[in-house]
Amino acid sequence: MSESPVGLNSEHADDESPGLLLWQVTNRWQAAQRAALAPFDLTHVQFVLLATLTWLTGRSAGEPVMQRDLAEFAATDPMMTSQVLRALEQKGLIERRDHPTDRRAKSLVPTPTGAALANRAVVVVEACDREFFAPLDRESATAAKDFTAALRRLRSR
């Protein structure tokens, strides 16, 4: 028996490929997040950027939050971030304001409605995560922490 062109020579090849498993798990997690966020009329990336902006604004001590800072902190593509921010602005969830010291730049702030929505949605998203990853907690006391630590190592590559 010869090996298949993609190296899948086992009936259970999908259980042996960490990349494929990660992709499959990510798809299921994203579906759970979409369902959790549907009542808020937010996509997951809209939620991430709105919640991150709300958090950054709260800890900025009055310093303006810039789009590039938001994209860097959220680890999102700057062009995609710009498009998503336009959608959030059209929904009345964020505002672009003049930067206090750079006339060419704009700072970002969540509107009161946007901040309230982010704060409500984060509770649901965190509950969704707890439910989705619960099998790791049932496996062992440290499995979820070990998994999270492994993801952090991969993120920093």
Side-chain angles (χ1 to χ4, degrees):
M1 178 169 149
S2 68
E3 190 171 323
S4 70
V6 291
L8 300 177
N9 59 2
S10 163
E11 266 185 57
H12 303 289
D14 58 335
D15 288 339
E16 302 302 321
S17 169
L20 181 58
L21 284 167
L22 180 61
W23 183 75
Q24 291 169 335
V25 170
T26 299
N27 284 334
R28 289 197 173 110
W29 175 80
Q30 287 174 338
Q33 290 294 327
R34 273 192 304 277
L37 287 165
F40 300 97
D41 190 31
L42 291 173
T43 66
H44 191 254
V45 70
Q46 287 173 343
F47 163 75
V48 167
L49 291 175
L50 180 60
T52 302
L53 177 59
T54 301
W55 184 80
L56 287 172
T57 299
R59 71 180 274 257
S60 72
E63 290 296 314
V65 177
M66 306 297 293
Q67 182 174 316
R68 70 178 176 275
D69 300 326
L70 177 63
E72 183 178 320
F73 192 87
T76 54
D77 174 74
M79 183 63 79
M80 183 268 304
T81 298
S82 179
Q83 294 168 349
V84 172
L85 290 174
R86 272 196 297 280
L88 291 172
E89 187 174 27
Q90 290 171 349
K91 290 181 176 190
L93 301 175
I94 70 161
E95 293 178 356
R96 294 174 197 259
R97 296 184 178 166
D98 291 335
H99 189 280
T101 59
D102 183 348
R103 291 186 310 160
R104 297 166 297 150
K106 296 286 185 187
S107 63
L108 304 169
V109 293
T111 63
T113 300
L117 183 65
N119 289 325
R120 286 193 317 274
V122 76
V123 172
V124 173
V125 166
E126 287 175 351
C128 180
D129 275 354
R130 280 191 303 278
E131 182 180 328
F132 187 86
F133 294 107
L136 294 177
D137 285 334
R138 287 191 293 270
E139 183 180 305
S140 77
T142 61
K145 289 180 183 174
D146 290 346
F147 180 69
T148 303
L151 289 174
R152 272 193 224 100
R153 286 193 305 276
L154 291 173
R155 179 185 64 188
S156 65
R157 289 180 45 96

